[in-house]
Amino acid sequence: MVIVMKTTATNDDVKNIERLLKRLDLGAHISEGEERIIIGVIGDKRLLDGVPLELMPGVDKLVPIVEPYKLASRTFDPEPSTIEVGESQIGGKKLTIVAGPCAVEDEEQILKVARYLKSQGIDFIRGGAYKPRTSPYSFQGLEEEGLKLLAKARKETGLLVVSEVISTEFLDQAVEYLDVIQIGARNMQNFQLLREVGRLKKPVILKRGLASTIEEWLNAAEYIMKEGNYDVILCERGIRTFETYTRNTLDLSCVPLIKELSHLPIIVDPSHGTGKGNLVIPMSRAAIAAGADGLMIEVHPDPKSALSDGPQSLDFDGFSELMGEVAKIAQVLDREI
Ligand code: PEP
Ligand code: MN
């Protein structure tokens, strides 16, 4: 439930409500809109039975949240969320570009990519250390060694590090090295992993499951938020359809839809979304045009020799071209890159 305050409500009115909720063991999430404040009630709303909240000074009305996901819903927080990571912000005017190889392969590879990305002026590097591969015979990632190499790249370049965790077992270890945790498509409904990530104070990129509806995806975000971690960034990465020319079908209609349903930032991964390097730039343009807050792009110094996802990875020239193309779209939309 949310408490919609009157446009004339004072700070004291808001504080009073916060105090009352706290006494009842409920939390309050304050969303300051241009005209009025909305207070999202966190916790079991049955604790409010018989409490005449609507009669309190400054209160306009009480609105129930009808969606199955509450904290992730736009009703709970009508203002778009921005998420701070180091000096960077995700969900603000500036687009967030997360780029890097599918997998960390060795020191030379990741440092080469990191230095190049730094020269492109982006803030985030990605690289898989624990790789959830379809075949058990494919390269499974360098695991902790990969995380150490990412930390080394951060130390040298100052880039913020994003990498996927695939189980609760490695979570504590991984968190030491990462600025943002990635939950991959295959783990979008690994509820125990979602709960544990929700107890951390680290932003989480939550990728959409391979065959998940938007409602299931937002419910997965809710699992994380319910534990107290509100720093969730959604990432559309394509879904399974009958089409086989592309690896997945990139569902760009989800971008404006998510913006209506949720206050969470959303980025788009056209690399996994299409599986084809030649489609990455056009779909990046389209994603930003549709209102995405950023992109996740696979970049490799030599895609042909990549240990995973080479066909969908851009080389350095390709990525530079992408940045130029995205900058044009950003300008039209009054966004920065
Ligand atoms: C990845 O980002 O490397 C990855 C495995 O993506 P997804 O979980 O979207 O398949
Ligand atoms: Mn990949």
Side-chain angles (χ1 to χ4, degrees):
M1 181 177 74
V2 296
I3 305 166
V4 180
M5 302 301 286
K6 292 182 175 147
T7 49
T8 51
T10 63
N11 276 345
D12 278 348
D13 294 340
V14 175
K15 288 231 161 59
N16 263 337
I17 291 178
E18 275 184 282
R19 268 196 295 271
L20 171 73
L21 293 176
K22 196 162 174 207
R23 270 210 306 279
L24 295 168
D25 231 6
L26 291 163
H29 176 87
I30 312 291
S31 172
E32 279 187 52
E34 262 169 35
E35 291 197 340
R36 53 171 87 216
I37 289 180
I38 289 178
I39 305 174
V41 180
I42 303 163
D44 186 349
K45 75 172 192 313
R46 282 172 301 187
L47 295 169
L48 282 169
D49 284 353
V51 180
L53 261 182
E54 60 276 38
L55 299 180
M56 288 191 61
V59 172
D60 183 4
K61 58 183 172 189
L62 308 181
V63 178
I65 302 177
V66 292
E67 295 85 2
Y69 44 88
K70 310 281 174 206
L71 306 172
S73 75
R74 193 97 195 189
T75 318
F76 178 75
D77 188 349
E79 297 300 313
S81 292
T82 53
I83 292 168
E84 315 275 336
V85 195
E87 313 236 300
S88 202
Q89 253 197 358
I90 305 177
K93 189 169 176 179
K94 187 167 187 269
L95 297 172
T96 299
I97 313 292
V98 181
C102 180
V104 180
E105 296 172 2
D106 55 49
E107 179 166 339
E108 191 192 337
Q109 174 235 26
I110 198 70
L111 289 181
K112 208 166 169 183
V113 176
R115 288 175 195 136
Y116 162 72
L117 293 175
K118 184 73 186 173
S119 77
Q120 295 294 297
I122 71 165
D123 294 345
F124 294 89
I125 185 168
R126 60 149 286 152
Y130 300 94
K131 293 304 304 173
R133 304 304 299 282
T134 302
S135 161
Y137 303 110
S138 303
F139 176 58
Q140 303 287 308
L142 298 181
E143 306 192 336
E144 190 175 7
E145 182 55 25
L147 296 174
K148 286 189 178 150
L149 294 176
L150 283 167
K152 194 162 186 181
R154 171 179 48 203
K155 193 155 182 237
E156 188 188 308
T157 59
L159 289 170
L160 298 159
V161 167
V162 181
S163 195
E164 176 172 357
V165 292
I166 57 172
S167 82
T168 54
E169 190 189 337
F170 304 119
L171 194 55
D172 289 346
Q173 177 198 60
V175 161
E176 301 272 311
Y177 299 100
L178 304 179
D179 298 295
V180 179
I181 298 166
Q182 178 173 321
I183 301 287
R186 289 155 194 81
N187 275 309
M188 190 205 84
Q189 285 189 320
N190 180 339
F191 298 118
Q192 195 51 32
L193 183 59
L194 298 177
R195 276 195 207 99
E196 296 215 5
V197 159
R199 292 179 195 130
L200 302 173
K201 294 208 175 339
K202 267 276 145 148
V204 182
I205 293 181
L206 177 65
K207 294 189 117 188
R208 182 174 179 181
L210 297 114
S212 296
T213 64
I214 289 169
E215 190 162 303
E216 286 163 344
W217 188 16
L218 288 170
N219 271 309
E222 191 78 9
Y223 264 91
I224 299 171
M225 299 175 83
K226 184 169 179 288
E227 300 301 321
N229 187 352
Y230 286 14
D231 289 347
V232 178
I233 302 116
L234 301 167
C235 179
E236 160 63 27
R237 47 79 70 208
I239 47 175
R240 276 277 165 89
T241 67
F242 50 79
E243 182 52 66
T244 53
Y245 274 119
T246 48
R247 178 177 177 182
N248 291 293
T249 296
L250 189 64
D251 176 16
L252 287 184
S253 62
C254 84
V255 175
L257 193 55
I258 288 282
K259 291 279 172 201
E260 275 182 31
L261 298 172
S262 176
H263 53 90
L264 296 174
I266 174 165
I267 64 172
V268 170
D269 169 356
S271 306
H272 294 89
T274 64
K276 294 198 151 142
N278 58 325
L279 301 185
V280 169
I281 292 180
M283 295 318 281
S284 296
R285 283 198 220 106
I288 299 304
D293 296 297
L295 299 167
M296 178 177 279
I297 306 288
E298 286 191 336
V299 178
H300 194 283
D302 179 21
K304 284 187 303 307
S305 66
L307 296 182
S308 62
D309 287 350
Q312 67 194 36
S313 300
L314 297 183
D315 62 12
F316 292 173
D317 285 347
F319 186 76
S320 300
E321 188 184 336
L322 177 143
M323 289 296 280
E325 292 295 307
V326 170
K328 290 185 212 161
I329 308 285
Q331 196 184 11
V332 177
L333 297 171
D334 196 26
R335 295 197 79 158
E336 290 161 10
I337 181 161

